[in-house]
Amino acid sequence: MLYYIPILLALIPQTLALWPIPRTLQTGSTFLVLSSQFNINVNVPNPPQDLLDAVSQTKDFLATDKLQRLVIGRGAADAGALKTAKTLPSLTVTMQSNQPVLPIAAESVKDIGTRSEGYTLSIPNDGRPAVLSANSTLGLFRGLTTFSQFWYDLNGVTYTNVSPVSIVKDVPAYPYRGLMLDTSRNFFPVADIKRTLDAMSWVKINTFHWHIVDSQSFPLFLPEFPELAGKGAYSSSQIYSPADVQSIVSYAAAHGIDVVMEIDSPGHTAIIAESHPEHVACNQASPWSTFANEPPAGQLRLATPGTVNFSAALFTAAARVLPSKLFSTGGDELNTQCYKSDAQTQADLKKSGQTLEQALNSFTQATHGALAKLGKTPVVWEEMVLDHSPKLSNNTVVMVWISSANAAAVAAKNFRFVHAPSDFFYLDCGAGEWIGKSAESNSWCDPFKSWQKAYTFNPLANISAAQKHLVLGGQQLLWTEQSDPNNLDPIVWPRAATSAEIFWTGATRPDGKALDGSEALPRLHEMRYRMVQRGVKAIALQPQWCALRPGLCNVDS
Amino acid sequence: MLYYIPILLALIPQTLALWPIPRTLQTGSTFLVLSSQFNINVNVPNPPQDLLDAVSQTKDFLATDKLQRLVIGRGAADAGALKTAKTLPSLTVTMQSNQPVLPIAAESVKDIGTRSEGYTLSIPNDGRPAVLSANSTLGLFRGLTTFSQFWYDLNGVTYTNVSPVSIVKDVPAYPYRGLMLDTSRNFFPVADIKRTLDAMSWVKINTFHWHIVDSQSFPLFLPEFPELAGKGAYSSSQIYSPADVQSIVSYAAAHGIDVVMEIDSPGHTAIIAESHPEHVACNQASPWSTFANEPPAGQLRLATPGTVNFSAALFTAAARVLPSKLFSTGGDELNTQCYKSDAQTQADLKKSGQTLEQALNSFTQATHGALAKLGKTPVVWEEMVLDHSPKLSNNTVVMVWISSANAAAVAAKNFRFVHAPSDFFYLDCGAGEWIGKSAESNSWCDPFKSWQKAYTFNPLANISAAQKHLVLGGQQLLWTEQSDPNNLDPIVWPRAATSAEIFWTGATRPDGKALDGSEALPRLHEMRYRMVQRGVKAIALQPQWCALRPGLCNVDS
């Protein structure tokens, strides 16, 4: 196989619109214009439709992004160089292996750690075509994403200023790069979720952690349990039908994203009482702060045999509609006072002779057992291993959220885990208190987690070399007590791109230097301006004056 | 004149969609349906077009708001009552005085303190028409705004549940109720500003403080100084043309809003150096933090005669295109180190024998003198009276921003002032540091100023009875280092409605009780849901579960 061999390529130039930055990258400093007849040739046997769609989408982006360079004059000074620049005629997309060609959607939902996301890309500037190759259609999808980020527009001319380009085997540092969205506190229509999936795919996020239900609403319609959404959704128009879920899952998979659904349990389940009061302890008990971390109180009666069976059946019903190998049973913020005050739970414990922890173990065996029957791996919040002691299968994935420092304790218990720390990655922090009758301006997890703060996250802090394999990756998270479709884009983007880079690129940039916010800022500006061009309302990180003058708005510059 | 006389009206019921709440209000608890032939009869001689437009807009809102009640079931339980409810056939709009009828636009830009914004509204529930009367078209506009907020939708039926209604002379507590937008750090197209003006009018905000230029960009095109925007705007498409300014000013005035423009000076003017380097000291001097509060550094050479003349001519050119009696010359964050380091300034000071403060006084006499010639009253930031000592005319309006506590010091100097305190009303706070090379999550004015915090603001704190007349009102403010059209709506709304109520309603609600966040929250939910229905992307204040259950998400409820 032939690759373009760079001879005298500079290391990364000052501006570069790539995000996440590839792990290997050589670029030049020559201008190269995209041919007006530019085409993408798919040299893949029996190419699956979603690959052809991705190619088509890439061509659309090349035509419609129209991102002007973020420099004074917006690239006007490039006009002269463009007149004499060489032209790139086409991109050839090809498979490196003789493996059967599967759709992107099939590759995206393979078990974590077994997906092939790497690709190799060369963009010569001598008139030859660019070449993208990979071992899988998913790898090709990642490469197309990278390819689309090289291009600027000046008066209708599409060009790059960093040719030639050589990226040899850009593969992600971590297999799990996620984003969590809570669709229970407030509802998000399918279109908002798909737009979010689009933006996720642009920065190579590969997991949508869908916290679909919680104590406030149950928008998931399950044919086996129609009453849950029927009485627990905010309204009949604020429901995810089976077709909606399939539509989201399919759309995600075709965009390189696995959907990991969560039905949080046994806490965070008050809304189930609307249809099944028999299964819920301390439903809307007052004051809520005694029985839950936020209103309304209500937890599944984990010691009640009927509720255990119901819960297992619920997980079966939900998990079987998703192709993902992962499914989250939640497990955060279990409130023991709720169970102490619940006569039914106390009676059931007495009857079975179990302690609450023993009952939690039985409940977990039932729910995780239901998942195991479907071939699914359970995901749990950190409390299930740090604060409680249910017996968990060795392959259980743990989400570390309370503090980044807790990752070490989870690793010490030899569980694989995902970094989801509130002190770095919670997108909702810093927006003020939402509980009524409080005049506080502070939120529970102040301050706001800026992109700069998130970008300093070190996935391997306090993790020994022997434990590195336990670090699956990480994600930023949006809890939606104070969010709905009206502020979804600006509260998520471009901040959520920071973890995407940390977990794709790893600790070091292709020039061997450590990830560094001041190097990243101009690239993140470019990515956010591109997102805006593509219809995602990502916030401005700085005055445009600063975006056009990299470095001049740094501390003491 | 006949008003509907309430006999047994309850005091304010639990849910009420009015914002700001009228100063006098009596409501019943009877359902009343808007007739499907409902009309608004304008009983005004020679009604001006903007009044007719406002009537037409009100009818549109009644038809399109379709706000469902924020209760469990979204008003479904009202169906029975609606079947037997009386019908409101029409609203009659009438003038109380024999004064000449002026357009709303003319009334809106009258000098502060002389506008007639009050109105009287009765909505009987015995089949008679509702009646809205006022002394001016501006008052009628305010009354139409209130009228439009009473109505809910259930399956296409438009109704209220609080009839009959009597509001006798609802007049604002303070004459200045503003919102400031910075269009320099990042640019906002005309459509975004008009949408913001719409939302402002819905909560009876009457002043748009337009911080149009600053050190980062100069988007204001002035025919006398085409080079300022020509070289100082971010691009040729990020300019407010004279037609744009007129369009915004006219739109604002027709919606009850006076546009107070600010050209901040002599600081915050670095961008003028792009076209007039001769007028700017310490242009982009490094490190910027020595010479300015944020990058880039640059201040007008206040001691240089040519620059003084230029500045006066600039204010003349800008101020004369606006009908407002107010115009702001800025005056915040003057950096003395900038002038100390500027050889030109030092030479000019030496030549004139002036100190820097004396030169500032001369500069101010020239710029304020230019405004005086146009019959305009200057507005300045607090530093011009608290930190410096230029001679200011007695009618100068001072903006108190550094701390709410500084209002007392401004009052002690006997200046009229506007509350714009960063510790309550700055909408940008709490979004993290935007200066590059900083990994801080904190912003300079943390924490986020929640609506709850803003709502606790007391306009008369530390103000004596004899000084009350100096308190013109107040405003919330959006500085846009980290904002642009992508997050304009969610960062402003509904938070900016809090000051609108504080300065319309004053210290007490119509039931005589003090303004209180827990009473306000359900109304603010209603207002924000209505804003969303009208196309403004206001954020969710709480999970919808809480919005539907007033009080249940309070502390310890």
Side-chain angles (χ1 to χ4, degrees), chain B residues 13-324:
Chain B
Q14 238 182 335
T15 42
L16 196 63
L18 305 184
W19 196 282
I21 197 159
R23 299 183 75 194
T24 74
L25 173 68
Q26 289 185 294
T27 55
S29 54
T30 302
F31 285 81
L32 177 67
V33 169
L34 212 62
S35 165
S36 58
Q37 273 87 47
F38 178 81
N39 199 14
I40 301 180
N41 302 309
V42 181
N43 186 14
V44 175
N46 300 315
Q49 185 58 45
D50 58 11
L51 177 63
L52 297 177
D53 290 346
V55 164
S56 175
Q57 175 70 83
T58 303
K59 285 198 284 190
D60 283 351
F61 285 149
L62 294 174
T64 60
D65 273 3
K66 294 198 177 299
L67 176 65
Q68 297 177 315
R69 278 182 67 199
L70 286 177
V71 293
I72 298 169
R74 306 305 298 273
D78 299 342
L82 293 183
K83 280 182 193 157
T84 58
K86 293 264 187 182
T87 294
L88 185 71
S90 60
L91 168 68
T92 299
V93 172
T94 180
M95 295 289 282
Q96 284 171 345
S97 80
N98 294 321
Q99 298 290 314
V101 176
L102 297 179
I104 298 169
E107 300 282 356
S108 301
V109 300
K110 283 185 173 174
D111 204 1
I112 187 137
T114 69
R115 287 172 224 160
S116 173
E117 298 192 78
Y119 67 92
T120 289
L121 173 67
S122 73
I123 307 176
N125 61 359
D126 56 4
R128 284 184 297 152
V131 177
L132 168 65
S133 60
N135 284 321
S136 78
T137 54
L138 179 57
L140 293 178
F141 182 76
R142 300 292 178 226
L144 287 168
T145 300
T146 301
F147 182 82
S148 79
Q149 293 178 354
F150 277 98
W151 307 96
Y152 298 107
D153 174 86
L154 180 67
N155 303 325
V157 176
T158 306
Y159 69 101
T160 178
N161 60 336
V162 296
S163 77
V165 174
S166 173
I167 298 172
V168 181
K169 287 195 182 166
D170 181 26
V171 296
Y174 295 92
Y176 186 111
R177 305 175 308 280
L179 178 70
M180 193 214 77
L181 179 67
D182 160 13
T183 59
S184 172
R185 273 58 179 252
N186 281 299
F187 180 79
F188 294 79
V190 172
D192 292 292
I193 294 177
K194 287 187 176 173
R195 189 179 64 257
T196 303
L197 292 167
D198 283 335
M200 289 162 63
S201 76
W202 302 336
V203 293
K204 303 189 173 76
I205 291 176
N206 71 357
T207 308
F208 175 47
H209 174 185
W210 192 359
H211 186 90
I212 190 168
V213 298
D214 207 294
S215 271
Q216 286 82 0
S217 77
F218 201 104
L220 173 63
F221 185 90
L222 294 168
E224 297 89 334
F225 299 96
E227 69 279 11
L228 289 172
K231 297 197 172 177
Y234 283 132
S235 73
S236 59
S237 61
Q238 290 167 299
I239 281 179
Y240 300 108
S241 71
D244 289 338
V245 173
Q246 285 313 311
S247 171
I248 286 168
V249 166
S250 301
Y251 192 86
H255 289 77
I257 297 166
D258 187 31
V259 178
V260 177
M261 188 179 277
E262 174 184 357
I263 294 186
D264 203 352
S265 69
H268 289 271
T269 46
I271 201 69
I272 290 176
E274 299 294 317
S275 52
H276 290 284
E278 72 277 16
H279 294 320
V280 178
C282 73
N283 177 35
Q284 294 193 38
S286 178
W288 57 261
S289 55
T290 301
F291 304 101
N293 282 35
E294 67 179 46
Q299 301 184 159
L300 287 172
R301 285 184 166 130
L302 50 71
T304 303
T307 300
V308 174
N309 291 341
F310 163 83
S311 302
L314 175 58
F315 279 104
T316 299
R320 69 183 178 192
V321 305
L322 298 148
S324 179

Side-chain angles (χ1 to χ4, degrees), chain B residues 213-441:
Chain B
V213 298
D214 207 294
S215 271
Q216 286 82 0
S217 77
F218 201 104
L220 173 63
F221 185 90
L222 294 168
E224 297 89 334
F225 299 96
E227 69 279 11
L228 289 172
K231 297 197 172 177
Y234 283 132
S235 73
S236 59
S237 61
Q238 290 167 299
I239 281 179
Y240 300 108
S241 71
D244 289 338
V245 173
Q246 285 313 311
S247 171
I248 286 168
V249 166
S250 301
Y251 192 86
H255 289 77
I257 297 166
D258 187 31
V259 178
V260 177
M261 188 179 277
E262 174 184 357
I263 294 186
D264 203 352
S265 69
H268 289 271
T269 46
I271 201 69
I272 290 176
E274 299 294 317
S275 52
H276 290 284
E278 72 277 16
H279 294 320
V280 178
C282 73
N283 177 35
Q284 294 193 38
S286 178
W288 57 261
S289 55
T290 301
F291 304 101
N293 282 35
E294 67 179 46
Q299 301 184 159
L300 287 172
R301 285 184 166 130
L302 50 71
T304 303
T307 300
V308 174
N309 291 341
F310 163 83
S311 302
L314 175 58
F315 279 104
T316 299
R320 69 183 178 192
V321 305
L322 298 148
S324 179
K325 293 286 182 187
L326 299 177
F327 195 96
S328 175
T329 59
D332 57 321
E333 299 185 323
L334 203 54
N335 182 297
T336 53
Q337 192 59 40
C338 171
Y339 292 125
K340 279 185 193 155
S341 72
D342 185 52
Q344 178 73 50
T345 298
Q346 293 308 313
D348 288 325
L349 287 174
K350 196 170 176 187
K351 195 169 172 188
S352 66
Q354 287 185 314
T355 64
L356 189 64
E357 281 298 321
Q358 288 169 332
L360 174 61
N361 182 53
S362 301
F363 178 89
T364 305
Q365 298 318 311
T367 54
H368 286 202
L371 294 181
K373 275 189 197 158
L374 296 170
K376 309 274 182 179
T377 300
V379 181
V380 296
W381 295 107
E382 65 174 84
E383 291 99 313
M384 284 295 113
V385 299
L386 299 184
D387 297 347
H388 302 283
S389 50
K391 186 168 161 39
L392 300 174
S393 64
N394 292 338
N395 68 344
T396 303
V397 173
V398 178
M399 295 263 181
V400 179
W401 72 276
I402 295 176
S403 165
S404 54
N406 293 353
V410 172
K413 293 188 181 252
N414 208 32
F415 282 104
R416 297 184 301 169
F417 64 90
V418 170
H419 288 291
S422 57
D423 46 341
F424 284 83
F425 288 166
Y426 269 34
L427 298 167
D428 60 313
C429 300
E433 179 57 80
W434 59 268
I435 294 292
K437 268 200 172 168
S438 166
E440 290 305 310
S441 266

Side-chain angles (χ1 to χ4, degrees), chain A residues 220-272:
Chain A
L220 173 63
F221 184 89
L222 294 168
E224 297 90 335
F225 299 95
E227 69 280 11
L228 288 172
K231 297 198 173 177
Y234 283 134
S235 72
S236 58
S237 62
Q238 291 167 298
I239 281 179
Y240 301 108
S241 71
D244 289 336
V245 172
Q246 285 314 312
S247 171
I248 287 168
V249 166
S250 301
Y251 192 87
H255 289 77
I257 298 167
D258 186 32
V259 179
V260 177
M261 189 179 278
E262 174 184 359
I263 295 186
D264 203 351
S265 69
H268 288 272
T269 46
I271 201 69
I272 291 176

Side-chain angles (χ1 to χ4, degrees), chain A residues 285-509:
Chain A
S286 178
W288 57 262
S289 54
T290 301
F291 304 101
N293 281 34
E294 67 179 45
Q299 301 185 157
L300 287 173
R301 286 185 165 130
L302 49 71
T304 304
T307 301
V308 174
N309 291 341
F310 163 83
S311 303
L314 175 59
F315 279 105
T316 299
R320 71 182 178 192
V321 305
L322 298 147
S324 179
K325 293 286 183 187
L326 299 177
F327 195 96
S328 176
T329 59
D332 58 321
E333 300 185 322
L334 203 54
N335 182 298
T336 53
Q337 192 58 43
C338 171
Y339 292 125
K340 279 187 194 154
S341 74
D342 185 52
Q344 178 73 51
T345 298
Q346 293 307 313
D348 288 325
L349 288 174
K350 196 171 175 187
K351 196 170 171 186
S352 66
Q354 288 185 312
T355 63
L356 188 65
E357 281 298 320
Q358 289 168 332
L360 173 61
N361 182 54
S362 301
F363 177 89
T364 305
Q365 298 318 311
T367 54
H368 287 201
L371 294 181
K373 275 190 198 158
L374 297 170
K376 308 274 181 177
T377 301
V379 181
V380 296
W381 296 107
E382 64 174 84
E383 291 100 313
M384 284 295 112
V385 299
L386 298 184
D387 298 348
H388 302 283
S389 50
K391 186 166 161 44
L392 301 174
S393 64
N394 291 338
N395 67 346
T396 303
V397 173
V398 179
M399 295 264 181
V400 179
W401 73 276
I402 295 176
S403 165
S404 54
N406 293 353
V410 171
K413 293 187 180 254
N414 208 32
F415 282 106
R416 297 185 299 168
F417 63 91
V418 170
H419 288 292
S422 57
D423 47 339
F424 284 83
F425 287 166
Y426 268 33
L427 298 167
D428 60 312
C429 300
E433 178 57 80
W434 60 268
I435 294 293
K437 266 201 174 168
S438 166
E440 291 306 309
S441 267
N442 291 90
S443 70
W444 73 271
C445 54
D446 271 350
F448 179 85
K449 307 309 170 210
S450 67
W451 77 266
Q452 298 98 317
K453 170 79 175 178
Y455 199 66
T456 62
F457 185 77
N458 176 3
L460 300 178
N462 307 312
I463 302 297
S464 73
Q467 293 169 329
K468 278 187 184 177
H469 68 287
L470 300 174
V471 186
L472 293 180
Q475 64 182 10
Q476 281 161 297
L477 308 90
L478 182 62
W479 301 103
T480 60
E481 284 86 353
Q482 294 163 297
S483 287
D484 73 359
N486 293 290
N487 71 332
L488 174 61
D489 290 10
I491 202 168
V492 171
W493 303 110
R495 277 194 293 161
T498 54
S499 62
E501 179 153 293
I502 290 168
F503 295 104
W504 178 281
T505 307
T508 54
R509 304 198 305 263

Side-chain angles (χ1 to χ4, degrees), chain A residues 18-312:
Chain A
L18 305 185
W19 196 280
I21 198 159
R23 299 183 73 194
T24 75
L25 173 68
Q26 289 185 295
T27 55
S29 55
T30 303
F31 285 80
L32 177 67
V33 169
L34 211 62
S35 165
S36 58
Q37 272 87 47
F38 179 80
N39 199 15
I40 301 180
N41 302 308
V42 181
N43 186 15
V44 174
N46 300 317
Q49 185 58 44
D50 57 12
L51 177 62
L52 297 176
D53 291 345
V55 164
S56 174
Q57 175 70 82
T58 303
K59 286 198 285 189
D60 283 350
F61 285 150
L62 294 173
T64 60
D65 274 3
K66 294 199 177 301
L67 177 65
Q68 296 177 316
R69 278 183 66 200
L70 286 177
V71 294
I72 298 169
R74 306 305 298 273
D78 300 341
L82 294 184
K83 281 183 192 156
T84 58
K86 293 264 188 183
T87 294
L88 184 72
S90 60
L91 168 68
T92 299
V93 172
T94 180
M95 296 289 282
Q96 286 170 345
S97 80
N98 295 321
Q99 298 290 315
V101 176
L102 298 179
I104 298 169
E107 300 283 356
S108 301
V109 300
K110 284 184 173 174
D111 204 2
I112 186 134
T114 70
R115 286 172 226 161
S116 173
E117 298 191 79
Y119 66 92
T120 289
L121 173 67
S122 73
I123 308 176
N125 61 0
D126 57 4
R128 283 184 298 152
V131 178
L132 167 65
S133 60
N135 284 320
S136 78
T137 54
L138 178 58
L140 293 178
F141 182 76
R142 300 292 178 225
L144 287 168
T145 300
T146 301
F147 182 81
S148 79
Q149 293 178 354
F150 278 98
W151 307 96
Y152 298 108
D153 174 85
L154 181 67
N155 303 324
V157 176
T158 306
Y159 69 102
T160 178
N161 59 336
V162 296
S163 77
V165 174
S166 174
I167 298 172
V168 180
K169 287 196 182 163
D170 182 25
V171 295
Y174 296 91
Y176 186 111
R177 306 176 308 281
L179 178 70
M180 192 214 76
L181 180 66
D182 160 13
T183 59
S184 171
R185 273 57 181 251
N186 281 299
F187 181 79
F188 293 80
V190 171
D192 292 292
I193 293 176
K194 287 188 176 174
R195 189 178 64 257
T196 302
L197 293 166
D198 283 336
M200 290 162 63
S201 76
W202 303 336
V203 293
K204 303 188 173 76
I205 291 176
N206 71 356
T207 309
F208 175 46
H209 174 184
W210 193 357
H211 186 90
I212 190 169
V213 298
D214 206 294
S215 271
Q216 286 81 1
S217 76
F218 201 104
L220 173 63
F221 184 89
L222 294 168
E224 297 90 335
F225 299 95
E227 69 280 11
L228 288 172
K231 297 198 173 177
Y234 283 134
S235 72
S236 58
S237 62
Q238 291 167 298
I239 281 179
Y240 301 108
S241 71
D244 289 336
V245 172
Q246 285 314 312
S247 171
I248 287 168
V249 166
S250 301
Y251 192 87
H255 289 77
I257 298 167
D258 186 32
V259 179
V260 177
M261 189 179 278
E262 174 184 359
I263 295 186
D264 203 351
S265 69
H268 288 272
T269 46
I271 201 69
I272 291 176
E274 299 294 316
S275 51
H276 289 285
E278 71 277 17
H279 293 322
V280 178
C282 71
N283 176 34
Q284 294 193 38
S286 178
W288 57 262
S289 54
T290 301
F291 304 101
N293 281 34
E294 67 179 45
Q299 301 185 157
L300 287 173
R301 286 185 165 130
L302 49 71
T304 304
T307 301
V308 174
N309 291 341
F310 163 83
S311 303

Side-chain angles (χ1 to χ4, degrees), chain A residues 497-527:
Chain A
T498 54
S499 62
E501 179 153 293
I502 290 168
F503 295 104
W504 178 281
T505 307
T508 54
R509 304 198 305 263
D511 61 3
K513 293 181 184 163
L515 294 192
D516 169 73
S518 60
E519 181 279 334
L521 177 55
R523 285 190 294 110
L524 194 54
H525 272 305
E526 300 257 19
M527 191 64 225

